[in-house]
Amino acid sequence: MMKLSHEQWEKINQLILEAHTEGDIYRLRKMVLLKLGELIPHDKSFFDLGYKKDTKVVFFDPVSDNMDRNYLTSYFNKYESIDIMFWFFSQSRRNIYRESDYITDVMEETSVYYREWMLPQNIRYSMGSRVAYGEILYGSINLWRSKKHGDFTDEEVYILGVINEHLACRFHNKFPNGIKRNNENDYTDTLVHLYGLTPRESEVVELIYEGLPIRTIGEKLFISENTVKKHTHNIFRKMNISNRSQLMKIVHGYMTTSVDDLVEKR
């Protein structure tokens, strides 16, 4: 067992306690990333949900407080499948990885994934975990550091391993049969959290995607047409778009790729 300080164990125990008492999976993941920052300093991170689909694994609904939304969405839509460590999530022997244990500097820095996704964010080193109970996958934690801040230490790998075991138990207690998109589990939609939509705005998005006009949306939600227009304006602003066609394209992308069949790691 790695020898940690009393202060480190106190922080670990507090994180574990809150993980076992927080009922909302979105807030749980936000809390974990926040408190991990005190134990394992890092520059970028996200905590997503996942499940196995035949021989593949599917990840969705990433939560992050320190990663630009555009990079977060581009990871799942374009770069996840070429992430040098993507293979790790398909195996079940280990639940913690430190990229430098598997990948050489040359392999890393000559990869498209590094040049196009990591380098622009000024991140160089990565570490993460499969949150899994036995063969049941629940998600993954992914941490990155800049070259200036250096690689993750053996102590930090150990700390993540301790926390990850408890998270796996917590998820298994709450979802003994695993998590799948479209189940009635209490996690929230990727679009809602990526773009900071309110529950009402999320309802408006769904109805717009169905092709309903403003008047019909108002009738279904029992709100005025002016209120629908205000919600639509806020949605467009948050998603950095200007019309329904752009909204439909984004939602369709998530419905067909980033949600129901979100980029599958092979």
Side-chain angles (χ1 to χ4, degrees), residues 22 47 70 106-107 136 157 167-168 192 195 211 243 245-246 264:
E22 176 56 70
F47 188 163
N70 292 329
V106 173
M107 291 174 62
I136 303 176
V157 171
L167 290 175
V192 172
Y195 295 102
N243 57 59
S245 296
Q246 292 173 321
E264 297 174 354

Side-chain angles (χ1 to χ4, degrees), residues 42-200:
H42 55 272
D43 297 299
K44 306 290 181 182
S45 62
F46 67 74
F47 188 163
D48 56 19
L49 299 176
Y51 63 92
K52 283 190 175 181
K53 183 178 181 182
D54 300 323
T55 59
K56 305 171 185 177
V57 291
V58 180
F59 290 97
F60 60 98
D61 195 20
V63 169
S64 177
D65 276 335
N66 54 25
M67 186 170 287
D68 181 270
R69 182 182 300 156
N70 292 329
Y71 281 108
L72 189 59
T73 54
S74 69
Y75 177 83
F76 283 87
N77 290 335
K78 181 179 180 180
Y79 295 104
E80 184 184 47
S81 60
I82 59 173
D83 182 341
I84 292 179
M85 290 301 298
F86 79 92
W87 60 269
F88 174 84
F89 298 96
S90 297
Q91 57 83 46
S92 58
R93 295 190 305 274
R94 300 181 181 85
N95 284 331
I96 306 296
Y97 78 87
R98 175 172 51 189
E99 189 175 77
S100 59
D101 290 335
Y102 300 94
I103 307 298
T104 66
D105 289 345
V106 173
M107 291 174 62
E108 172 77 31
E109 296 179 0
T110 56
S111 69
V112 173
Y113 168 66
Y114 174 77
R115 295 197 311 270
E116 294 186 4
W117 193 81
M118 293 179 66
L119 190 58
Q121 297 185 81
N122 191 32
I123 50 179
R124 170 61 182 82
Y125 302 103
S126 71
M127 178 174 75
S129 70
R130 293 172 67 253
V131 181
Y133 190 93
E135 294 296 318
I136 303 176
L137 177 68
Y138 290 100
S140 71
I141 296 173
N142 302 269
L143 311 176
W144 288 271
R145 268 195 195 142
S146 66
K147 184 174 289 188
K148 176 183 177 181
H149 292 150
D151 201 357
F152 295 93
T153 66
D154 291 345
E155 180 179 271
E156 291 167 332
V157 171
Y158 175 77
I159 289 173
L160 183 59
V162 171
I163 293 169
N164 195 69
E165 287 185 14
H166 285 273
L167 290 175
C169 290
R170 175 69 180 106
F171 273 84
H172 184 65
N173 287 336
K174 189 170 182 64
F175 307 115
N177 297 316
I179 293 177
K180 285 190 179 180
R181 187 72 178 92
N182 295 329
N183 277 3
E184 294 181 359
N185 296 327
D186 65 346
Y187 57 83
T188 45
D189 186 81
T190 303
L191 279 175
V192 172
H193 293 301
L194 281 180
Y195 295 102
L197 304 183
T198 66
R200 177 63 85 187

